Amino acid sequence: MIPQMLKIAVWNANGLVNHSQELKTFIHNQNLDIILISETHFTRKSYLKIPNYTIYNTEHPDGTAHGGAAIIIRNTIKHHEIEKFKHEHIQATNIIVDDWIGQITFSAIYCPPKHTIKKEKFLEFFDTLGTRFIAGGDYNAKHEEWGSRLNNPRGRELLKAMKYSSLQHLSTGHPTYWPSDSKKKPDLIDFCVTKGISNKYMLAEPSLDLSSDHTPIIISLRTQVINLQIPPTLTNKNTDWQKFSEILEKKISLAIPLKTEENIDEAVEFLTNSIQEACWKATPTETFVTKYDTSPDFIKQAIKEKRKLRKIWQNTRYSADKIRLNRATQELKKLLDNLRNESFQNYLKSLTPSEATNYSLWKATKRMKQPKQAIPPIRSKNGKWARSNKDKAVLFANHLKEVFQPHTSENLPAEEEKTEEFLNSPYQMSLPIKPFQINEVKTIIICNLKNKKAPGFDLITGTILKKLPDCALKLITYISNAILRVGYFPTIWKIAQIILIPKPGKPVDEVGSYRPISLLPALSKVFEKLFLSRLRTIINDEKLIPDHQFGFRQQHSTVEQVHRIVNKINQGLEEKKFCNAVFLDVTQAFDKVWHEGLLYKIKQKLPYNYYIVLKSYLLDRYFQVKFQEEQTSLFPISAGVPQGSILGPTLYLLYTADLPTSNDIVSAAFADDTAYLAIDNTVEIASERLQEHLTLVERWLKKWRIKVNESKSSHVTFTMRKDTCLPITLNNKILPMANEVKYLGMHLDRRLTWKVHIWNKRKQLGLKFRKLYWMLGPKSQLSLESKLLLYKCIMKPIWTYGIQLWGTASNSNIEILQRFQSKTLRTIVQAPWYFLMK
């Protein structure tokens, strides 16, 4: 392998956001791969995005806007972040990059000048970086050894640490800090400390770009880094769909046996391989070229002029030369700002909600928030850290392997044996399930499959299925009918590929703070939709799902369920009664469904032909975790309804359909969000009725291995009176009492005034408006029609949700939202403050 040059910049930004535009120009003009930034002044709310680059940062421990370090690295380079070094005396951001020899740790370091740092503290930091590293930044350490004008105590301590650990330095030998005070002399305090890399492979050069009081240094490292592989796809925008169809028509034969389980597996594998092979042959190789911003000539000339004046001032230190440099710097900054604003406004003008621009307006709103969040090292239960992508994938897989296990049984052995005996008992014969027709398959694929839905491990997307010729559709129909006859669900359709995304507001270094997203093969979803169309008929005819369950049911919305509850509460308030209510939080409801228990209920309620298909569908499922370019091996799934599936929600509803109900209790459920209400004239009777019902619910939960998180559940007394209902217990734990509760997106307060709900919506609208301000504000060149469309489609649904219910609130509360709407519409149309907008 021939080594190449990796270009690295080291720079003290003295406030990174303030220099963001010139930094972007600097990065693209110099074609940099890695930038080590010190003194970023970042906080949790800081925001910076550079196209084609990923940013990692470490804030100051006190969270305020000073100090800090960051690394900016090209997206195509294979790398991962390791633990930050976050102390008062040293802040450092660390990543590991794979090259042709092994791994190199790059560290951006900032050492504030006010702290005394001894040799031991430097050694503590360097010991975290491994055996090959480059740690560059502002050490505020001076020593003649690396080219400083004089020595200071910190420089002597750093040199001791370097000699102790056999470390080297890499510097330009030229000053990097240029104080604005002419009485102070420039000096070299920005440099790199290295280990395991010979200096003959590295070259450090000064740069006169950028306008901080520090000048950057550019390091050329002769090495060959490993680039990330392009994510595999079966098609691209150049796919020849005519050729794709012709290949499949020649390859697919309908004269294949479909009588046994092995036949079905072979047929599904043949169909999958045929589709993949046809896609590859009909799709030309797409060459990805990294796009760099090219600055116009007048910007390049201004940079050249500023660089020239800076060099003059650094040599003379005359105040007149400093004034000319400041003017050139300000002029360059103005030119860059104007260029950015002009291109930004041109971009806004081009945004439309139509297909002509590929719905660019909606794509812009998706990208408007924060850049994609990088996942830092994750701590396992034993305290060890998963740093590399492979380690993270394995850690997530091991965590999910535990999640996809049923809760431990609290049943008596006799009850467990009864369940097992019933599952093994003879079955009643039933009429065969009505076969599927090819027109049903076509309708499902064309009308129900989304083109851009992420594919499963087989990479077959909805777009590909919509391009299938009739012979392939016929084969899908034959296979689907064979599944009904044989009662066997194909093995490769049971494999789920799981990706994980951070949960909002959760600590990103904990494995439990990530939500699994399950990606299943698109072909399996086609069969599930077909099968559900038959299953739904049985469920509706037999009324297998209770009326109080509104989840995943047609013509049953969240607002309608809340309306049921609100109506009962209002009746109690009007009659001056006590409405005693509990809202239960079920722990990992869909992931922990006990398979044997679910099959027991399916066998009880559904005809045998449905039971045998669903049994094959549920059992012997597997998952693998995909984390960026890494994939784990397969792990078994021992509990839960299949995530990301079509049938999963319906199966959960069947599993929980026999939750206890009582005549004196109002039951309300939307999937796993469950509420119970008891209404009476006295707190004693209302509490007694609710407690008796929860005792029945508690027994049911134990029998079917479902657990409720008591600490996250709520107990609320809705009443116009001062008294509060007695405490309610579940599993011998008192449920937390509150004066308000959030249920299905609506905040219900004790007297149902809706004030809490309206204020929460007002806060949510304020956050959304700030994120959209760059598109809705007076400086935006977005068309008025598009601005109003954004308001109607993105902001208006936030406050109109449930307006049928909270619209009865007092005028003083409703005016809270009216004032916000008026303010927003005035901003959109640029109307004066005294205009009343409705």
Side-chain angles (χ1 to χ4, degrees):
M1 186 176 290
I2 301 174
Q4 298 177 351
M5 282 296 180
L6 191 69
K7 293 193 72 174
I8 307 153
V10 181
W11 180 47
N12 181 310
N14 195 16
L16 183 55
V17 174
N18 295 334
H19 300 93
S20 60
Q21 192 57 37
E22 61 174 331
L23 175 63
K24 292 176 184 178
T25 304
F26 174 65
I27 289 173
H28 293 301
N29 286 345
Q30 295 288 343
N31 195 17
L32 296 174
D33 298 296
I34 301 174
I35 306 92
L36 309 179
I37 308 287
S38 53
E39 208 167 354
T40 58
H41 297 179
F42 266 19
T43 65
R44 285 193 309 165
K45 297 181 179 180
S46 299
Y47 169 73
L48 179 64
K49 182 177 180 181
I50 299 177
N52 304 317
Y53 288 81
T54 301
I55 301 174
Y56 303 90
N57 76 283
T58 302
E59 305 147 15
H60 193 275
D62 63 14
T64 57
H66 68 107
I71 293 180
I72 304 172
I73 182 169
R74 194 187 300 277
N75 286 338
T76 55
I77 297 175
K78 186 177 181 180
H79 67 279
H80 60 270
E81 186 182 14
I82 59 174
E83 295 94 324
K84 308 174 190 292
F85 199 88
K86 193 174 181 179
H87 298 275
E88 290 281 345
H89 60 285
I90 295 178
Q91 295 107 52
T93 302
N94 310 311
I95 64 170
I96 288 180
V97 172
D98 295 333
D99 74 349
W100 62 309
I101 295 177
Q103 293 183 330
I104 305 177
T105 302
F106 288 89
S107 177
I109 180 174
Y110 177 65
C111 303
K114 67 178 182 179
H115 298 284
T116 299
I117 307 179
K118 295 294 185 181
K119 163 190 166 184
E120 291 73 21
K121 290 185 177 180
F122 280 119
L123 289 175
E124 178 188 5
F125 166 65
F126 291 132
D127 286 344
T128 65
L129 302 182
T131 57
R132 287 181 78 214
F133 65 78
I134 297 176
D138 183 359
Y139 286 86
N140 277 300
K142 301 178 182 180
H143 202 283
E144 295 173 351
E145 182 73 16
W146 44 81
S148 300
R149 186 174 53 84
L150 47 81
N151 302 339
N152 66 1
R154 182 183 292 183
R156 287 189 282 268
E157 292 296 320
L158 176 57
L159 184 61
K160 290 179 185 177
M162 292 170 62
K163 289 183 176 179
Y164 181 85
S165 295
S166 301
L167 308 180
Q168 297 176 304
H169 68 267
L170 180 66
S171 68
T172 61
H174 298 278
T176 59
Y177 171 58
W178 303 86
S180 55
D181 187 352
S182 59
K183 295 180 181 179
K184 295 182 179 180
K185 296 183 179 181
D187 214 338
L188 188 154
I189 56 176
D190 302 273
F191 55 93
C192 295
V193 175
T194 68
K195 182 178 182 180
I197 307 171
S198 174
N199 277 1
K200 69 180 182 179
Y201 294 113
M202 295 182 287
L203 175 65
E205 300 174 294
S207 173
L208 300 179
D209 294 329
L210 304 176
S211 58
S212 169
D213 54 354
H214 291 247
T215 52
I217 63 175
I218 297 177
I219 298 169
S220 299
L221 173 62
R222 187 174 293 276
T223 187
Q224 176 68 53
V225 297
I226 298 175
N227 290 323
L228 289 172
Q229 295 181 349
I230 299 172
T233 57
L234 294 181
T235 62
N236 57 40
K237 59 184 178 181
N238 298 317
T239 299
D240 186 342
W241 293 111
Q242 180 65 32
K243 183 178 179 181
F244 165 79
S245 182
E246 292 172 356
I247 293 172
L248 279 180
E249 287 175 349
K250 293 178 181 178
K251 188 172 182 63
I252 289 181
S253 170
L254 301 178
I256 56 176
L258 288 169
K259 296 180 179 180
T260 65
E261 297 178 357
E262 291 77 12
N263 292 158
I264 293 175
D265 276 334
E266 291 171 2
V268 171
E269 188 174 349
F270 167 74
L271 176 61
T272 302
N273 293 339
S274 298
I275 293 174
Q276 291 172 337
E277 184 180 339
C279 287
W280 287 322
K281 290 182 178 179
T283 303
T285 303
E286 189 173 20
T287 304
F288 290 86
V289 179
T290 304
K291 298 180 180 179
Y292 298 103
D293 292 344
T294 54
S295 300
D297 291 339
F298 67 89
I299 293 290
K300 294 178 181 178
Q301 184 61 36
I303 293 173
K304 185 177 180 181
E305 181 65 21
K306 192 202 81 166
R307 189 183 297 148
K308 176 182 175 182
L309 292 173
R310 182 158 194 161
K311 187 173 184 179
I312 292 173
W313 173 72
Q314 289 174 353
N315 289 330
T316 65
R317 303 287 288 175
Y318 290 157
S319 59
D321 293 333
K322 176 63 173 174
I323 292 172
R324 284 195 292 271
L325 172 60
N326 289 342
R327 286 175 181 170
T329 301
Q330 291 300 319
E331 183 64 27
L332 176 60
K333 185 177 180 182
K334 183 186 286 188
L335 289 173
L336 289 172
D337 288 342
N338 290 340
L339 179 65
R340 181 194 61 180
N341 291 335
E342 183 179 349
S343 71
F344 180 68
Q345 296 303 340
N346 289 335
Y347 167 69
L348 287 177
K349 285 181 182 179
S350 68
L351 296 180
T352 72
S354 65
E355 188 177 4
T357 58
N358 199 16
Y359 307 102
S360 57
L361 180 65
W362 306 123
K363 291 182 179 180
T365 58
K366 279 188 175 181
R367 295 193 296 263
M368 72 186 175
K369 301 175 184 177
Q370 296 288 335
K372 185 177 179 181
Q373 185 175 3
I375 297 181
I378 301 173
R379 191 194 301 272
S380 61
K381 290 183 178 179
N382 58 12
K384 295 183 179 180
W385 290 92
R387 298 177 175 86
S388 68
N389 292 340
K390 185 176 182 179
D391 291 341
K392 292 175 185 175
V394 171
L395 179 61
F396 281 131
N398 289 330
H399 169 70
L400 292 175
K401 187 170 63 172
E402 297 178 5
V403 169
F404 297 142
Q405 295 285 341
H407 290 298
T408 54
S409 174
E410 298 183 27
N411 297 329
L412 296 174
E415 292 178 331
E416 296 288 329
E417 290 178 8
K418 182 180 177 182
T419 301
E420 185 176 351
E421 181 181 348
F422 178 76
L423 291 177
N424 294 327
S425 65
Y427 49 83
Q428 293 282 340
M429 295 299 293
S430 60
L431 294 174
I433 303 173
K434 181 182 176 182
F436 305 121
Q437 303 298 320
I438 187 171
N439 288 337
E440 292 181 86
V441 175
K442 285 183 179 180
T443 302
I444 291 292
I445 291 175
I446 294 173
C447 300
N448 296 93
L449 289 186
K450 296 181 180 179
N451 291 346
K452 296 185 178 180
K453 198 76 172 178
F457 75 96
D458 59 5
L459 303 179
I460 297 175
T461 63
T463 301
I464 295 173
L465 294 185
K466 290 180 180 181
K467 301 292 184 179
L468 292 177
D470 284 346
C471 60
L473 296 176
K474 287 180 181 178
L475 182 55
I476 294 174
T477 308
Y478 293 169
I479 292 173
S480 300
N481 288 327
I483 294 173
L484 300 183
R485 288 196 311 272
V486 179
Y488 175 75
F489 194 77
T491 302
I492 65 172
W493 286 358
K494 297 182 183 181
I495 299 174
Q497 190 172 77
I498 293 180
I499 60 175
L500 294 108
I501 59 174
K503 297 178 182 177
K506 299 289 185 179
V508 292
D509 60 346
E510 295 180 6
V511 68
S513 299
Y514 294 82
R515 179 177 291 108
I517 305 297
S518 182
L519 306 177
L520 296 171
L523 286 169
S524 72
K525 293 183 179 180
V526 173
F527 173 80
E528 289 185 56
K529 287 181 181 289
L530 292 167
F531 188 78
L532 183 60
S533 66
R534 303 290 191 268
L535 178 61
R536 192 174 283 141
T537 302
I538 299 290
I539 291 174
N540 294 336
D541 292 344
E542 301 295 330
K543 296 184 178 180
L544 299 180
I545 297 176
D547 292 338
H548 67 261
Q549 174 62 265
F550 277 44
F552 308 109
R553 298 178 66 189
Q554 294 178 343
Q555 300 177 351
H556 289 69
S557 69
T558 54
V559 173
E560 289 171 335
Q561 182 65 289
V562 179
H563 189 191
R564 286 185 65 243
I565 293 178
V566 168
N567 185 47
K568 294 295 182 181
I569 295 173
N570 275 327
Q571 288 179 10
L573 295 178
E574 290 172 1
E575 297 171 4
K576 296 185 178 180
K577 294 182 177 181
F578 294 94
C579 180
N580 198 12
V582 294
F583 299 83
L584 303 182
D585 181 272
V586 180
T587 303
Q588 296 175 326
F590 291 83
D591 297 333
K592 292 288 189 179
V593 171
W594 178 34
H595 281 172
E596 285 74 14
L598 176 56
L599 291 173
Y600 180 92
K601 295 186 178 184
I602 290 174
K603 190 172 184 178
Q604 271 187 330
K605 300 173 182 179
L606 296 177
Y608 169 73
N609 289 322
Y610 288 88
Y611 165 74
I612 201 67
V613 172
L614 289 173
K615 180 180 179 181
S616 177
Y617 172 80
L618 271 176
L619 302 181
D620 301 321
R621 299 189 74 95
Y622 294 87
F623 76 93
Q624 66 171 184
V625 172
K626 181 182 180 183
F627 188 84
Q628 295 186 11
E629 76 284 357
E630 298 291 345
Q631 295 181 8
T632 65
S633 56
L634 297 178
F635 293 87
I637 298 175
S638 302
V641 293
Q643 289 248 5
S645 66
I646 310 301
L647 289 171
T650 301
L651 295 179
Y652 180 81
L653 298 187
L654 291 172
Y655 188 60
T656 57
D658 58 343
L659 261 166
T661 57
S662 303
N663 293 331
D664 297 329
I665 299 295
V666 177
S667 301
F670 196 94
D672 59 325
D673 291 313
T674 307
Y676 296 109
L677 288 74
I679 302 174
D680 198 82
N681 289 316
T682 64
V683 295
E684 292 82 9
I685 296 179
S687 300
E688 181 182 352
R689 288 176 179 172
L690 190 58
Q691 185 62 69
E692 288 177 356
H693 184 73
L694 282 188
T695 302
L696 298 177
V697 172
E698 180 181 327
R699 293 173 189 161
W700 185 92
L701 293 172
K702 290 179 179 178
K703 180 177 181 180
W704 300 109
R705 302 193 190 184
I706 295 178
K707 289 191 177 181
V708 168
N709 190 331
E710 294 86 1
S711 62
K712 290 185 178 180
S713 300
S714 298
H715 173 209
V716 183
T717 302
F718 297 99
T719 182
M720 301 296 291
R721 295 157 71 175
K722 293 182 180 180
D723 294 336
T724 299
C725 289
L726 303 177
I728 299 296
T729 63
L730 182 68
N731 297 321
N732 297 321
K733 295 181 181 179
I734 297 177
L735 299 181
M737 301 184 71
N739 289 323
E740 62 187 63
V741 66
K742 184 179 180 182
Y743 184 67
L744 301 181
M746 302 198 72
H747 298 263
L748 310 178
D749 58 270
R750 180 183 174 96
R751 296 192 174 185
L752 219 57
T753 63
W754 299 105
K755 184 176 181 180
V756 175
H757 176 79
I758 289 172
W759 269 113
N760 275 279
K761 290 302 174 182
R762 175 61 182 86
K763 292 176 184 177
Q764 190 177 349
L765 286 165
L767 292 172
K768 185 68 70 175
F769 180 66
R770 283 195 288 273
K771 291 176 180 177
L772 281 170
Y773 191 79
W774 64 281
M775 301 179 78
L776 301 178
K779 294 183 179 180
S780 170
Q781 295 299 312
L782 196 65
S783 68
L784 178 60
E785 292 78 8
S786 293
K787 287 183 179 181
L788 289 173
L789 186 62
L790 282 179
Y791 173 78
K792 292 176 182 177
C793 294
I794 295 180
M795 301 192 68
K796 188 176 179 181
I798 294 175
W799 64 265
T800 56
Y801 173 72
I803 194 171
Q804 308 93 316
L805 306 178
W806 64 259
T808 59
S810 65
N811 289 335
S812 60
N813 285 330
I814 292 178
E815 285 172 0
I816 295 170
L817 295 177
Q818 180 63 57
R819 287 193 295 269
F820 173 83
Q821 180 175 240
S822 298
K823 175 184 173 183
T824 304
L825 293 177
R826 281 197 299 268
T827 302
I828 289 174
V829 301
Q830 301 182 36
W833 63 270
Y834 49 81
F835 270 54
L836 180 62
M837 310 296 291
K838 291 187 177 180

